[in-house]
Amino acid sequence: MNGLRDLTESALRDIVPVHWRVPSRLNEAIRYSLDAGGKRLRPILALAAAESVSGEEEARQRALPFAAAIEMIHTYSLIHDDLPAMDNDDYRRGRPTNHKVFGEAMAILAGDGLLTHAFYVASLAAGKGVPAERVLAVVSELSRFAGLPGMVGGQADDMLGEQGITSMEELENIHLHKTSDLIACSLRAGGHAAEATPDQLAALELFGRNIGLAFQIQDDILDLIGDETKLGKPLNSDEKQGKVTYPYLIGLEESRERVRSLTNEAVRAIRQAGLQRTDLLTDIADVMMRRDH
Amino acid sequence: MNGLRDLTESALRDIVPVHWRVPSRLNEAIRYSLDAGGKRLRPILALAAAESVSGEEEARQRALPFAAAIEMIHTYSLIHDDLPAMDNDDYRRGRPTNHKVFGEAMAILAGDGLLTHAFYVASLAAGKGVPAERVLAVVSELSRFAGLPGMVGGQADDMLGEQGITSMEELENIHLHKTSDLIACSLRAGGHAAEATPDQLAALELFGRNIGLAFQIQDDILDLIGDETKLGKPLNSDEKQGKVTYPYLIGLEESRERVRSLTNEAVRAIRQAGLQRTDLLTDIADVMMRRDH
């Protein structure tokens, strides 16, 4: 996983062509959030998916523009989610949020800029040997999974329903769109880079959907019983913010069981998909299930 | 121009596939701004550019997904620009702005959703006979002209420099990016739909850049000497908001002269580009120069 992470970091370092004139304050705001040191889960999954389909390490390079684009979309969503009108968060990963440092207006523009530029970066895959039709498929899927029926829609549902989520079904529906959709999209994007078959794409998507949901439940669990130092935030913040969580709805033990069963389903899906290798993705699923931050 | 406008309106009516589940409040917020009845200048130019290059009316259909996508991007930019943290406008085109009706959080998400979905809509051109390479070129150009070195960058420059614009050069640089870039992109997108040559694309871009700037100067002029009823807003709003305008910097007469000379340059560019017809675009340039609202 470290090799994939390093590759992602290097790709994210020069996403803006050097000859472009971009206002320096806007650039700083974007870099501040891109360099905040997330887990890089989505790009790592995109690269691992490409390598799993093709069996060749070279496939990583072809998937790299997609991986960077998805991390940019993830980052924009965090910047906008933290805004005062949205979740109104002052801190993320132990650092002041984007609007606390650069002001609300610049944070809105940094998010808009990252989202827009993600499509520029994704389109660069055509220059790395990915057929134009596949690049276009990824553009279309990115805009769907990150868009109105996906991440943006999930965020709207979350906000609209904040007071009244009472069932697992409602909660799961929100997380499926808010979190899992973009993760599922990462895996499909990696698959497209390695010219996966429709069946393989479907298996990768299912893997993504399941570990995306497991990831969210694990987050809820860690908020209750994690280590504050490792998490970089105080425990029980969900409860303080009145958030409805999995442990709140079904209890801690059943939440843990759900993480395990979702992870197992995810692994089963890709084992039956005729990939060249499955160890990369199963390792990532395993690390995610056991993570403590 | 009416035929092109009607075509745009019909394309904008069903931008979201019927089987998609989109939160209804989010959908309403998007429709509210899309249906606010703008001039549809950008999509009209995209359709006219396609028809000018090919000489066939059928080219409009191929350019339609690009035209709709660009109007969606324009609309998102208005929603975000009006936000309290940005220009803090309560009214646009005589109606309350998006965040006044739907709240700030939903307005941010409506903008994010429109921007994301624009790329989905643009990618549909591949199903209308536009080669994948051309669609990809438009995706890449859209994200550049609307993005960090384009519209978003121009908006950031505008905000950062609001207190201290003193020269024509600074003012023009902001408008070139904030307004002209997306207009130039519309013309190139239409050109790509009709498989224009690189020289034709460059001529269309130059046409767009010049009439985009002329459009902005005309706006400044109308704010001083227009008809409040036709404009749907009170006169002298620029001065009240402390905006630096062309008439403020170079006077009313010279501003008018600049509109004329930019329009002439625009028309000259496309007359030398070997297009199948130039009347559509020159007519639009003429109407824009003479407009009173």
Side-chain angles (χ1 to χ4, degrees):
Chain A
M1 262 174 90
N2 272 338
L4 301 180
R5 197 192 152 106
D6 292 347
L7 197 56
T8 302
E9 296 295 345
S10 73
L12 288 173
R13 262 195 291 277
D14 25 62
I15 50 165
V16 178
V18 285
H19 62 282
W20 283 14
R21 208 198 66 77
V22 176
S24 54
R25 192 77 181 150
L26 177 62
N27 208 37
E28 282 167 37
I30 285 172
R31 294 276 21 139
Y32 179 81
S33 290
L34 266 188
D35 297 343
K39 299 179 191 69
R40 308 301 193 202
L41 171 65
R42 291 155 192 80
I44 287 173
L45 284 168
L47 301 176
E51 197 166 337
S52 301
V53 171
S54 90
E56 309 283 338
E57 201 178 305
E58 171 272 341
R60 296 178 181 185
Q61 290 297 334
R62 282 190 281 154
L64 202 50
F66 300 151
I70 288 166
E71 187 67 6
M72 290 162 69
I73 289 179
H74 174 57
T75 304
Y76 115 77
S77 78
L78 300 180
I79 296 174
H80 280 192
D81 282 4
D82 287 338
L83 285 168
M86 308 277 277
D87 292 349
N88 194 21
D89 279 320
D90 291 351
Y91 289 89
R92 176 171 291 276
R93 294 168 188 152
R95 299 198 320 163
T97 45
N98 198 290
H99 65 272
K100 293 305 275 184
V101 179
F102 297 93
E104 263 185 81
M106 199 49 73
I108 294 169
L109 288 171
D112 292 345
L114 269 170
L115 169 57
T116 313
H117 193 53
F119 289 94
Y120 181 87
V121 170
S123 72
L124 295 175
K128 297 213 168 196
V130 183
E133 286 77 11
R134 291 285 188 162
V135 182
L136 216 46
V138 172
V139 165
S140 174
E141 290 176 13
L142 261 181
S143 49
R144 183 157 56 88
F145 285 89
L148 297 177
M151 191 179 70
V152 170
Q155 178 68 18
D157 266 335
D158 193 14
M159 276 184 26
L160 292 164
E162 250 165 11
Q163 285 79 35
I165 298 170
T166 50
S167 72
M168 264 294 289
E169 206 189 330
E170 280 175 296
L171 182 65
E172 203 146 297
N173 186 51
I174 286 170
H175 287 314
L176 269 176
H177 294 302
K178 226 184 117 163
T179 307
S180 293
D181 271 350
L182 194 59
I183 293 178
C185 188
S186 303
L187 286 142
R188 287 187 65 96
H192 279 300
E195 300 183 48
T197 65
D199 282 353
Q200 288 174 329
L201 291 170
L204 289 166
E205 180 177 340
L206 187 57
F207 174 89
R209 236 168 243 299
N210 283 323
I211 61 161
L213 208 47
F215 181 82
Q216 184 61 52
I217 302 172
Q218 184 72 358
D219 255 6
D220 288 357
I221 295 171
L222 288 172
D223 185 69
L224 280 178
I225 57 154
D227 178 327
E228 296 193 344
T229 325
K230 284 178 181 166
L231 291 170
K233 61 173 185 178
L235 289 186
N236 301 312
S237 65
D238 289 340
E239 199 186 326
K240 281 173 205 141
Q241 290 175 49
K243 274 193 199 166
V244 175
T245 66
Y246 284 83
Y248 173 85
L249 281 180
I250 58 175
L252 192 58
E253 232 5 88
E254 209 178 314
S255 297
R256 280 175 162 153
E257 177 47 38
R258 187 108 182 88
V259 170
R260 273 190 294 270
S261 67
L262 283 166
T263 306
N264 289 339
E265 275 178 60
V267 168
R268 197 159 45 237
I270 53 161
R271 286 218 168 116
Q272 296 164 346
L275 304 176
Q276 289 298 318
R277 56 189 289 191
T278 57
D279 57 321
L280 283 168
L281 291 171
T282 51
D283 282 358
I284 295 171
D286 199 52
V287 167
M288 280 176 58
M289 187 173 72
R290 294 175 201 279
R291 77 196 161 95
D292 57 7
H293 67 285
Chain B
M1 260 173 90
N2 271 338
L4 301 180
R5 198 193 151 106
D6 291 347
L7 197 57
T8 302
E9 296 295 345
S10 73
L12 288 173
R13 260 194 292 277
D14 23 64
I15 50 164
V16 178
V18 285
H19 63 281
W20 282 15
R21 209 198 65 78
V22 176
S24 53
R25 192 77 182 150
L26 176 63
N27 208 37
E28 283 167 36
I30 285 171
R31 293 274 24 137
Y32 179 80
S33 290
L34 265 187
D35 297 343
K39 301 180 188 69
R40 309 301 193 202
L41 172 65
R42 293 156 191 80
I44 287 172
L45 285 168
L47 301 177
E51 197 166 337
S52 301
V53 170
S54 89
E56 309 284 338
E57 202 178 304
E58 171 272 340
R60 295 178 182 185
Q61 290 297 334
R62 282 189 281 153
L64 202 50
F66 300 150
I70 288 166
E71 187 67 5
M72 290 162 68
I73 290 179
H74 173 58
T75 304
Y76 115 76
S77 77
L78 300 181
I79 297 173
H80 280 191
D81 281 5
D82 287 338
L83 285 168
M86 308 278 277
D87 292 348
N88 194 21
D89 279 319
D90 291 351
Y91 288 91
R92 173 171 293 277
R93 294 169 188 150
R95 301 198 317 163
T97 45
N98 198 290
H99 64 272
K100 294 305 276 186
V101 179
F102 297 92
E104 264 185 80
M106 200 48 72
I108 293 169
L109 288 172
D112 292 346
L114 270 170
L115 170 56
T116 312
H117 194 53
F119 289 94
Y120 181 86
V121 170
S123 72
L124 295 175
K128 297 213 169 197
V130 183
E133 287 76 12
R134 291 287 188 159
V135 183
L136 216 47
V138 172
V139 165
S140 174
E141 290 175 14
L142 261 181
S143 50
R144 182 157 56 88
F145 284 89
L148 297 177
M151 191 179 71
V152 170
Q155 178 67 17
D157 267 335
D158 193 15
M159 277 184 24
L160 292 165
E162 250 165 11
Q163 285 79 35
I165 299 170
T166 50
S167 72
M168 265 294 289
E169 205 190 330
E170 280 175 293
L171 182 65
E172 203 146 297
N173 186 51
I174 286 171
H175 288 313
L176 270 176
H177 294 303
K178 227 184 116 162
T179 307
S180 293
D181 272 350
L182 194 59
I183 293 178
C185 187
S186 303
L187 287 142
R188 288 187 64 97
H192 278 301
E195 300 184 49
T197 65
D199 282 353
Q200 288 174 329
L201 291 170
L204 289 167
E205 180 176 339
L206 187 56
F207 174 89
R209 237 169 242 298
N210 284 323
I211 61 161
L213 208 48
F215 182 81
Q216 184 60 51
I217 301 172
Q218 184 72 358
D219 256 5
D220 288 356
I221 294 171
L222 288 172
D223 184 69
L224 279 179
I225 56 154
D227 178 325
E228 295 193 344
T229 325
K230 285 179 181 165
L231 291 170
K233 62 172 185 178
L235 289 186
N236 300 313
S237 66
D238 289 340
E239 198 186 327
K240 280 173 206 143
Q241 290 175 50
K243 274 193 198 165
V244 176
T245 66
Y246 284 84
Y248 173 87
L249 281 180
I250 58 175
L252 193 58
E253 232 6 87
E254 210 178 313
S255 298
R256 280 176 163 151
E257 178 47 36
R258 187 109 181 86
V259 171
R260 273 190 294 271
S261 68
L262 283 165
T263 306
N264 289 339
E265 274 179 59
V267 169
R268 197 156 47 237
I270 54 161
R271 286 217 168 116
Q272 296 165 346
L275 304 176
Q276 290 297 318
R277 55 189 291 190
T278 56
D279 57 321
L280 283 168
L281 291 171
T282 51
D283 282 358
I284 296 171
D286 200 52
V287 167
M288 280 175 60
M289 189 173 70
R290 294 175 200 280
R291 77 196 161 94
D292 58 6
H293 66 285

